[in-house]
Every structure is written in structure tokens, then in C-alpha cells.
Amino acid sequence: MFEVYIHVPFCLRRCGYCDFNTYTATDLGAGASRGNYANMVIREMKLTKQWQLDHGIEEPPVSTVFFGGGTPTILAARDLVAMLDAVRKIWSIAPDAEITTEANPDTVNEYYINELAAGGFTRVSFGMQSAVPHVLKTLDRTHTPANVAAGVNAANKAGLRSSVDLIYGAPGESLDDWRTSVTTAIDLGVNHISTYALTVEPTTKMGRQIAAGTLPKPNDDDEAAKYEIADDLFAAAGLEWYEVSNWARPGYESQHNLGYWRNVDWAGLGPGAHSHYNAVTEADHPQSASLTAPAGGGCPADAGLGVVSVSHGLRSWDIAHPRLWGTAINENRVPWADSETITPEENLEELIMLGLRLHEGLDLDRINRAINDAGMSSTPQTLRTVSVDQLAPMISEGLITVSDNHRVVPTRRGRLLNDAVIEQFFDFVGV
């Protein structure tokens, strides 16, 4: 599978809790402006495609496209459609592809959503966050619950699938407030809901307020209670958890996000976006380009290959600041800040971390192959394989279950203690 993620770094205003790579200015220099942004991303697509060809990467038609941010819908709908059309032209898109944009409820209306539907979008993910006015105010959100409902209704009329995102643990949010938000989201009739615990970064406005004592710090026990409330209410409404933070009716799971958790290939476009490739060929010809970006950022788009010597995984990330990102594109360079090889040991770690977040579970057979690929079975203290019997302590602690086809699935307790479950599994396999 191959996916495309497009980051749109513009926002109307910066929310107090937000630590994402976003900007409120309309023009950030070097062509990275709201009005010209689609053109810059399309140019990056062409550079990325050339880089793939130069490094022996032939991807299948794109299975999912996701526009995230920031606020993608701060751009004109025709700009989002133009970028989607370019993905179709440059890579081709599978007939049943999932095409999603995130949306701030304040920035869309029926006409906007109709234009997205006509342009090939299949799904809209609305940033709802809460249905309680004082919680929205604490989060610096300007929309109202009525805006969310209007957006979902417009998407339904246009034949698009809808999802909403919620945040729990905001300062001053009671259990009843959270219950109201969850039930309001369910009553919208959407088939997919994501919920995320509030993460407070010290450099954000909210982080500074908490440090100064003007807002209370989020409480782990409070957040755990709210997770359980959501899980119970979603289950009663027919929404099943399929990833630690995501619930959906069967068949309505986010295919794009599942691709991340299944470790497929994806190209990330836009300032700060990350890319991932499971197999990249590297050349031993002295004139071939390094897979790591040169000083100052950006990789030559026309780097040639010599004789192939190795194949490995790769992750890369774009230059974060839009002006510098735009400068690299204007100089005909893939706008990477840097990249790194994914070692077999790192691949094993990622398989464990991602698999233990999913309802489909962690494939033990795949993990055992990864252990051997990493050469870890050569050390006496490390198991050559992991058997179901050896997982008995984690099962008895109520953290995981193991299916008949050897898939390790976190229980609800395991989801609440997901980091600890992952660490325990790391210790168990010796990574």
C-alpha cells in the first residue's frame, strides 16, 4: 500500500493547547502563502516522485490521501481539489481510495463541502473537540456545536463520510461535561469518532498558564475515567474500538490511519510532514545522492543511482518552517530537513508499538520473523521466538489477550496502560 499525507500549516488562530507546525500569517515567504500553497505542494509532489524513481521505488496506486493541519479547509476548496488531482496525475489513485480532509467547522459550509465531493473527496474529519461552551473556550476553539452539526449534515447530503475528533482532560472539564460531549458526538450519527487525551506542551499558551498556576494540570486518573466513559458509551451505540484512540462502526475505520499503524509506505508533503518507506535502494556509485539531506536541508531531485548495494527502510521529514521549505522547492530540491535509515531493531520496535495499539492485534508470527531479521536470536538471553505460553504473565495481569491465530490484543486495561504494555513487551523480546 502507498498513502499520501498533505500538511496544510495555516490556521485562523492558534489554539492554546496546540503544538503542531501551524501559522496564522497568510504569507510566510518563498511562495508559501495561502493563495499559492497548492502550487508549492504540487511542485513538491513532482520532486518526490522523481526522488522515488531515482531510488528504485515503484509504488502502487495511492490507497488513501489525507489533508491535515493546521486547517486544510482554510484554503479554497478548489485548491484542495487541485492537489488531489495532482496526486491522481503523478501517482494515480486506486478506484476505491479513501480521500479525507480535516475541517474546522468554522471554515466550511454546504457549498464548500459539495465542491470537495465533486472533486473526489470521500470523507471529512471535523475538529469538534467538545460540545460544552466553557470547555471550548478553555481550548480556544471558536466554533459552536451547531457548526459541527451543520458540517456533518452537509457532508451527509453530499454523500461524504464524517468523523469527529474529541479531546478529553481539558482544565475545568467535569465528568458530566465529558459525557455531554460524547453523547452529543454520538447523536450526530457519525460512524467514526476519535478521542484524544489532552497533552500539554510547556511552550504552548496553555502550558504557560498551567505553569503559572492559572489553570489546573490535567489529571491521569480523571483522563482514565473519561476514557472508560467514552468506551462504554461508544460500545452501547455500536461503535467499536479499532485503535486505542479511535472507534467506528464496522467498515468505517480510517483506512489512512490504519496504514500508519500497519507500517505501510507513505509520502508526507508540506512543511514538517514525515514520509516512510519500507524498502529503499541505496547506491554505491560515488556520485549518487546520499539518502540523508545535505546541510541546509533539501535533497537534489535529479540524483542518479549507481549499482544497488543495500535495501532498507527509510523515514524522512520535511523542513518545518514554510519559508525554508519553499526555498528548497524553488531550488529544485526535495525539501527534507533530514532522513534516517530504519534498522531491523527499530523496525521490530515499531511493529510492537503500532501493533499493540490495534484491535486486530500484534501478529506474533511477524514479530518472530522480525526478531530473527534483527539478529537478536543470536544472543543467549534473547528468545528466538515468542510463544503464547511465554506471554502468560501479561495475560494474567489482564493487559492482553491472545487469539487463536496468535494475535496479541490489548484489553481495556492494556489500552489505558498502553505505554507500560509496550515497555513490558520490549523487555520481554529484548529490545
Side-chain angles (χ1 to χ4, degrees):
M1 289 179 63
F2 177 54
E3 303 185 333
V4 172
Y5 171 77
I6 298 172
H7 184 71
V8 178
F10 301 104
C11 278
L12 291 172
R13 61 181 290 178
R14 190 171 183 84
C15 299
Y17 63 90
C18 180
D19 192 42
F20 296 157
N21 189 37
T22 63
Y23 305 83
T24 57
T26 59
D27 191 337
L28 293 156
S33 65
R34 290 185 195 175
N36 191 54
Y37 189 71
N39 294 327
M40 296 299 289
V41 170
I42 292 168
R43 290 174 64 187
E44 183 181 1
M45 289 182 197
K46 295 174 181 178
L47 293 168
T48 300
K49 175 65 174 180
Q50 186 61 54
W51 179 89
Q52 291 174 344
L53 293 173
D54 289 340
H55 290 84
I57 299 172
E58 295 185 14
E59 299 286 6
V62 174
S63 57
T64 72
V65 182
F66 194 101
F67 291 77
T71 307
T73 50
I74 204 172
L75 302 182
R78 64 178 176 273
D79 287 344
L80 300 187
V81 172
M83 288 185 275
L84 178 59
D85 286 344
V87 172
R88 186 176 291 108
K89 180 178 180 180
I90 292 168
W91 283 289
S92 82
I93 296 178
D96 59 347
E98 176 191 87
I99 315 295
T100 304
T101 184
E102 292 180 340
N104 181 323
D106 283 342
T107 61
V108 296
N109 56 29
E110 185 174 349
Y111 303 104
Y112 191 105
I113 286 176
N114 286 342
E115 193 169 347
L116 293 181
F121 282 77
T122 65
R123 189 171 178 273
V124 183
S125 179
F126 293 97
M128 178 178 174
Q129 319 312 356
S130 176
V132 179
H134 79 85
V135 176
L136 288 172
K137 183 177 180 180
T138 299
L139 294 172
D140 281 336
R141 302 292 291 187
T142 59
H143 71 266
T144 66
N147 293 111
V148 180
V152 170
N153 290 336
N156 289 342
K157 286 179 63 177
L160 301 182
R161 293 183 174 186
S162 293
S163 174
V164 295
D165 291 352
L166 297 173
I167 292 177
Y168 58 92
E173 179 189 58
S174 68
L175 294 180
D176 284 341
D177 289 336
W178 174 240
R179 193 174 284 106
T180 295
S181 293
V182 172
T183 55
T184 301
I186 291 170
D187 290 344
L188 288 170
V190 296
N191 294 308
H192 186 284
I193 302 176
S194 302
T195 69
Y196 302 103
L198 178 67
T199 300
V200 180
E201 299 295 341
T203 56
T204 62
K205 174 186 172 183
M206 182 175 285
R208 293 190 293 272
Q209 290 174 317
I210 290 173
T214 58
L215 284 178
K217 182 179 180 181
N219 178 275
D220 289 344
D221 291 338
D222 173 73
E223 291 185 343
K226 289 171 179 173
Y227 185 93
E228 291 178 328
I229 288 171
D231 197 38
D232 287 339
L233 291 173
F234 291 150
L239 295 160
E240 302 175 0
W241 82 274
Y242 70 95
E243 190 274 339
V244 168
S245 299
N246 289 272
W247 289 257
R249 300 188 195 284
Y252 287 86
E253 300 84 358
S254 167
Q255 295 306 307
H256 185 84
N257 286 338
L258 277 173
Y260 290 151
W261 297 315
R262 290 169 177 165
N263 229 16
V264 304
D265 283 11
W266 70 84
L269 308 163
H274 286 229
S275 299
H276 174 269
Y277 298 95
N278 280 298
V280 176
T281 53
E282 186 176 8
D284 61 10
H285 191 284
Q287 299 302 314
S288 66
S290 168
L291 294 178
T292 301
C299 291
D302 57 353
L305 279 173
V307 179
V308 171
S309 58
V310 296
S311 180
H312 54 67
L314 175 80
R315 69 169 61 87
S316 64
W317 47 98
D318 273 23
I319 298 165
H321 194 281
R323 179 175 57 80
L324 299 178
W325 168 84
T327 298
I329 292 172
N330 291 334
E331 295 174 354
N332 202 39
R333 293 182 286 128
V334 179
W336 288 356
D338 211 342
S339 65
E340 63 185 8
T341 298
I342 302 171
T343 67
E345 292 83 0
E346 290 170 333
N347 180 62
L348 174 59
E349 292 176 358
E350 290 182 3
L351 289 176
I352 292 170
M353 287 190 295
L354 298 169
L356 287 174
R357 294 187 62 87
L358 291 171
H359 186 272
E360 68 186 40
L362 177 66
D363 185 346
L364 273 186
D365 296 333
R366 187 179 183 187
I367 289 300
N368 287 331
R369 290 194 298 271
I371 289 172
N372 285 306
D373 289 344
M376 298 181 63
S377 60
S378 61
T379 58
Q381 70 271 27
T382 305
L383 299 168
R384 181 175 296 275
T385 59
V386 178
S387 70
V388 175
D389 289 343
Q390 291 160 340
L391 296 175
M394 297 178 73
I395 297 172
S396 65
E397 291 176 41
L399 297 173
I400 61 171
T401 61
V402 182
S403 66
D404 291 340
N405 61 347
H406 292 179
R407 285 189 172 270
V408 182
V409 181
T411 62
R412 181 153 84 175
R413 182 167 185 263
R415 284 181 272 154
L416 287 167
L417 300 172
N418 195 249
D419 289 345
V421 171
I422 291 168
E423 287 297 327
Q424 191 167 337
F425 211 96
F426 279 174
D427 291 341
F428 192 72
V429 301
V431 296

